[in-house]
Amino acid sequence: MSPSPSLPLEGLAAVVTGAGRGLGRAEALELARLGASVVVNDFGQPGRDGSGEASAAPAEEVAAEIRAEGGQAVAHTGDVADHDQARTLIGLAVDTYGKLDILVNNAGILRDRMIFSMSEGEWDSVIRVHLKGHFNTTHFASVHWRERSKATGGPVYGRIVNTSSEAFLAGSAGQPNYAAAKGGIVGLTTSTALALAKYGVTANAICPRARTRMTEDVFQGFQEPTDGRLDPLAPEHVSPLVGYLASPAAGRVNGQLLVVHGGMVAIVERPKVAAKFDAAKEAFTFEELDELISPYYAARPPAETFAAAEVLGLKREKA
């Protein structure tokens, strides 16, 4: 029996990581609203830098919220950056609901620092949670789908929605670890999309812009509406796209990167060649490269004139 139009995810089982607060919470609630049974994962550390004691409360509270609305949800409080705990997370979905259909990777931390001030630990911790965390859950979900496909002799239903960032697209001077991790997630997504397509699985990434615990200082200059309108930076502007990408309607969307915020979705094209130069002989000389490439860049504004806010189309409103 196919799901009803009002419940496009009915009968499907989902895992959402980092779902105790902010974007992950909104995404878990949206998937449940659309009919999915959800495993709500959150390690529960209070600090956005991954500091503080882990707590079951955030994940448990969101799962309870879903159940109070008539949905199905269980909590998982493990660390997705730990390979074995990620295995347990995917196994919990399969054991509880009989299968896994949707994986939304959202868990992350921030440890911002300029590249010349960043410590090895600050680099490693952010790469570990964001990039390794995405890999861990994706690995075990892909094993599940591949085994199911082999058992049935055909494609299965599988959706992966990963979380990248505009920090990867436009750069972020004080976040070399975060920008690198988010760029790596895009590479992981496109590779996964190619590898799993034959099994019926799609993988896409989003670059969300939202006011959350992790971005509270980034958006300090952007006022929240006082007239009752939904905040353009509310996570609820992002979660419907996640619900769509997780649904059967998005079956032809694969290996894509989408920017989403405030009632806007932009599909990002893969990088294009901006200019091409050919050597006059078998190989370039230094002088020839200087003659060809230097004038090209001399005609363009220097890179430092591009502030991140301008690149991303952000405008600060005066208080």
Side-chain angles (χ1 to χ4, degrees):
M1 185 174 68
S2 60
S4 67
S6 60
L7 294 173
L9 304 184
E10 187 175 22
L12 301 179
V15 164
V16 183
T17 73
R21 305 177 179 92
L23 275 172
R25 173 184 174 274
E27 292 162 355
L29 293 174
E30 178 69 4
L31 295 185
R33 187 187 70 79
L34 296 176
S37 301
V38 184
V39 177
V40 178
N41 162 265
D42 201 287
F43 198 34
Q45 291 175 304
R48 69 175 187 169
D49 61 351
S51 62
E53 291 295 323
S55 170
E60 294 284 3
E61 288 170 2
V62 175
E65 190 174 353
I66 290 172
R67 292 193 296 268
E69 293 296 322
Q72 296 187 61
V74 294
H76 178 272
T77 57
D79 177 8
V80 294
D82 181 289
H83 202 60
D84 288 336
Q85 292 184 48
R87 185 204 313 269
T88 301
L89 170 60
I90 300 304
L92 177 61
V94 176
D95 292 343
T96 305
Y97 303 122
K99 59 176 180 172
L100 173 68
D101 303 292
I102 301 160
L103 171 62
V104 179
N105 284 309
N106 176 75
I109 63 171
L110 290 178
R111 293 194 178 176
D112 295 350
R113 196 84 65 185
M114 299 296 284
I115 187 64
F116 42 77
S117 302
M118 181 165 288
S119 69
E120 181 182 13
E122 288 165 339
W123 172 270
D124 288 347
S125 61
V126 170
I127 298 296
R128 175 183 179 272
V129 176
H130 286 275
L131 187 51
K132 187 182 178 185
H134 273 59
F135 161 74
N136 284 343
T137 54
T138 299
H139 167 73
F140 291 113
S142 66
V143 169
H144 169 69
W145 287 320
R146 184 169 178 261
E147 290 177 349
R148 279 176 54 196
S149 177
K150 285 186 173 183
T152 60
V156 298
Y157 188 97
R159 298 285 187 270
I160 300 171
V161 183
N162 288 333
T163 305
S164 184
S165 170
E166 289 169 296
F168 147 70
L169 287 172
S172 183
Q175 297 181 306
N177 48 5
Y178 180 75
K182 292 305 188 181
I185 285 168
V186 174
L188 172 66
T189 302
T190 54
S191 176
T192 301
L194 291 172
L196 300 187
K198 66 181 180 180
Y199 301 117
V201 179
T202 66
N204 296 286
I206 63 171
C207 293
R209 194 185 302 174
R211 195 189 309 276
T212 67
R213 182 180 55 141
M214 286 183 62
T215 61
E216 55 190 7
D217 57 340
V218 176
F219 297 123
Q220 281 182 352
F222 300 90
Q223 295 180 323
E224 296 186 49
T226 58
D227 57 2
R229 291 180 296 117
L230 181 64
D231 182 1
L233 293 169
E236 287 74 19
H237 283 296
V238 175
S239 53
L241 176 61
V242 173
Y244 166 74
L245 292 173
S247 76
R252 293 176 63 86
V253 184
N254 195 27
Q256 301 298 300
L257 177 65
L258 303 95
V259 177
V260 54
H261 62 88
M264 185 282 296
V265 172
I267 299 172
V268 180
E269 289 188 336
R270 298 196 179 189
K272 293 182 176 181
V273 175
K276 181 176 178 291
F277 306 99
D278 295 311
K281 297 182 179 180
E282 184 177 9
F284 279 111
T285 64
F286 172 87
E287 291 77 14
E288 186 180 11
L289 289 170
D290 185 26
E291 291 174 1
L292 292 171
I293 298 177
S294 295
Y296 172 78
Y297 281 103
R300 299 169 64 88
E304 60 267 26
T305 65
F306 290 99
E310 294 171 349
V311 173
L312 302 181
L314 294 171
K315 293 182 179 179
R316 292 186 179 272
E317 297 181 6
K318 294 181 179 179

